[in-house]
Amino acid sequence: MSSLRRRIIEEGRSLGGGILKVDGIINHRVDAGVMRECGDLFATQFAHTKPDLVLTAEISGIAPALMTASNLGCNVVYARKKKPVTMPGEPYIAHAPSHTKGGVTPLIVSREFLKAGERVLIIDDFLASGQTIKGLIDLIDQAGAELVGIGALVEKSFEGGRALLAERGVPIYSVVQITRLAEDVIELAPEEGEA
Amino acid sequence: MSSLRRRIIEEGRSLGGGILKVDGIINHRVDAGVMRECGDLFATQFAHTKPDLVLTAEISGIAPALMTASNLGCNVVYARKKKPVTMPGEPYIAHAPSHTKGGVTPLIVSREFLKAGERVLIIDDFLASGQTIKGLIDLIDQAGAELVGIGALVEKSFEGGRALLAERGVPIYSVVQITRLAEDVIELAPEEGEA
């Protein structure tokens, strides 16, 4: 069993409204050992796709993306939500509607760091409705780069994101798949290899 | 010479107003190899301080903090700028005036993840005026935890942050020290061991 799965079973909490509290593992306190193991899993799953870079979205995607890139020997680019003063010219911009926060989140990548023809692996913390990852794919398309795979730490498979992304025909892999969240209930899909 | 130093010499750009463009290495595209090496350097420098956790601030501190924590076998906690829906109760809150962005940035840490008596190593991307790190120390003090060391990827030594933080009497280490930034001019302090 992956450490992430074990930790979610032990500590994850369903707060209702489809919100999973994993901020002791992933997105406030980050367990470096869990992240390293997930980076290894992603690298094993996606090495054959030969990515030139790993693309993610700030903030919580950075840790798993970095551990994956470290393993594969490539760079991470994280889409910014605001254009920093150091970013020149007109960047690529996409927009992702936010399910948990409401509103629309911009995803901004400098033209310097996403180039036509580059092979791009997307790694993010969550795959839920798929809207954030769809926004990242939009950036890849704008740049004329090539999407080669999609990985997430936690998939909420009941939100349909995988179906939305499947049309791109690239491998999709999530470390932990959650099939149902209700008040105080977290149901996980069996892990690959489990009975 | 550290890879970070080499990359800053090769690619860093001084944009004027004390702003250093390193977004191809640190804070938009992240070079995973450089970060891993910096994590090794921090771990070597601070292993004797026996930290229980590495504290940083989102967003750009996450990568070096994670690589350090991975090496030292501990967790990262990154202070949030906004209180997420998953954060219960009244968190610890400090405020850091932002030099480059203007205004004041909140630094928020849940009481769940910073406990009295814990030994805390701060790792951030920049040590400039020291205000962000001072805010992180304020959070440590509020929690009754113990600051054991401070590390930064890049120190702008002309901004005086080190003097502000020195009163705490803990080791301070930066991978690269910049002594002067002017339009198109980046001056670095000699690396330890250099003539």
Side-chain angles (χ1 to χ4, degrees):
Chain A
M1 188 189 294
S2 70
S3 306
L4 179 60
R5 185 181 178 89
R6 186 180 313 116
R7 291 286 298 276
I8 288 174
I9 291 170
E10 288 170 2
E11 296 166 46
R13 281 181 48 218
S14 174
L15 301 182
I19 294 172
L20 178 68
K21 177 171 159 61
V22 284
D23 59 0
I25 317 165
I26 294 177
N27 45 18
H28 181 25
R29 182 172 67 182
V30 180
D31 186 306
V34 167
M35 282 299 159
R36 195 170 48 220
E37 189 187 294
C38 290
D40 292 347
L41 291 168
F42 288 132
T44 302
Q45 287 289 327
F46 293 110
H48 72 284
T49 68
K50 301 194 191 321
D52 296 310
L53 66 88
V54 176
L55 180 65
T56 191
E58 68 182 29
I59 300 167
S60 310
I62 295 173
L66 180 66
M67 285 307 192
T68 306
S70 173
N71 208 307
L72 292 170
C74 62
N75 288 320
V76 172
V77 172
Y78 57 90
R80 310 294 312 248
K81 291 178 186 165
K82 287 184 188 166
K83 185 172 183 284
V85 293
T86 50
M87 192 183 287
E90 290 304 312
Y92 301 117
I93 303 179
H95 293 89
S98 173
H99 180 65
T100 44
K101 292 173 200 159
V104 169
T105 302
L107 297 165
I108 303 169
V109 167
S110 171
R111 287 170 192 264
E112 302 168 281
F113 303 132
L114 189 57
K115 301 287 191 186
E118 283 186 314
R119 299 175 64 80
V120 182
L121 171 63
I122 292 176
I123 297 289
D124 206 359
D125 56 342
F126 278 95
L127 165 53
S129 68
Q131 293 298 332
T132 301
I133 292 175
K134 197 153 173 280
L136 293 173
I137 295 173
D138 185 2
L139 297 172
I140 293 169
D141 289 344
Q142 289 179 42
E146 185 184 352
L147 174 70
V148 299
I150 298 167
L153 294 175
V154 179
E155 178 175 354
K156 295 177 182 171
S157 55
F158 54 92
E159 288 198 28
R162 186 179 284 254
L164 180 75
L165 304 172
E167 63 181 34
R168 298 298 296 236
V170 300
I172 301 175
Y173 168 74
S174 46
V175 178
V176 175
Q177 288 189 310
I178 295 180
T179 50
R180 183 170 161 252
L181 280 181
E183 195 86 36
D184 290 324
V185 176
I186 302 174
E187 286 180 6
L188 306 183
E191 198 167 38
E192 238 175 277
E194 277 192 336
Chain B
M1 187 190 293
S2 69
S3 306
L4 180 60
R5 184 181 179 89
R6 185 182 312 117
R7 290 287 298 277
I8 289 174
I9 291 170
E10 288 170 2
E11 295 167 45
R13 280 180 50 217
S14 174
L15 301 181
I19 295 172
L20 177 68
K21 178 171 159 57
V22 284
D23 59 359
I25 317 164
I26 294 177
N27 45 18
H28 181 25
R29 182 173 67 183
V30 181
D31 186 308
V34 167
M35 282 301 157
R36 196 172 46 222
E37 188 187 293
C38 290
D40 291 347
L41 290 168
F42 288 132
T44 303
Q45 286 289 328
F46 293 111
H48 73 283
T49 68
K50 302 195 191 321
D52 297 310
L53 66 88
V54 176
L55 180 66
T56 192
E58 66 181 30
I59 302 169
S60 309
I62 295 172
L66 180 66
M67 286 306 193
T68 306
S70 173
N71 207 307
L72 292 170
C74 62
N75 287 320
V76 171
V77 173
Y78 57 90
R80 309 295 313 246
K81 291 177 186 166
K82 287 184 188 165
K83 185 172 182 285
V85 292
T86 50
M87 192 184 286
E90 291 303 313
Y92 300 117
I93 303 179
H95 293 90
S98 173
H99 180 64
T100 44
K101 291 174 200 156
V104 168
T105 302
L107 297 165
I108 303 169
V109 168
S110 171
R111 287 171 192 264
E112 302 167 281
F113 304 131
L114 188 59
K115 299 287 188 187
E118 283 185 313
R119 300 175 63 80
V120 182
L121 171 62
I122 292 176
I123 298 287
D124 206 359
D125 56 341
F126 279 95
L127 165 53
S129 69
Q131 292 298 332
T132 300
I133 291 175
K134 196 153 173 281
L136 293 172
I137 296 173
D138 185 3
L139 296 172
I140 293 170
D141 290 344
Q142 289 178 43
E146 184 184 354
L147 174 70
V148 298
I150 298 166
L153 294 174
V154 179
E155 179 175 352
K156 295 176 181 171
S157 55
F158 55 91
E159 288 198 27
R162 186 179 284 254
L164 180 76
L165 304 172
E167 64 183 34
R168 298 297 296 234
V170 300
I172 302 175
Y173 168 75
S174 46
V175 178
V176 175
Q177 288 190 310
I178 295 179
T179 51
R180 183 169 162 253
L181 279 180
E183 195 86 36
D184 291 324
V185 176
I186 302 173
E187 285 180 7
L188 306 184
E191 199 168 38
E192 237 175 277
E194 278 192 336

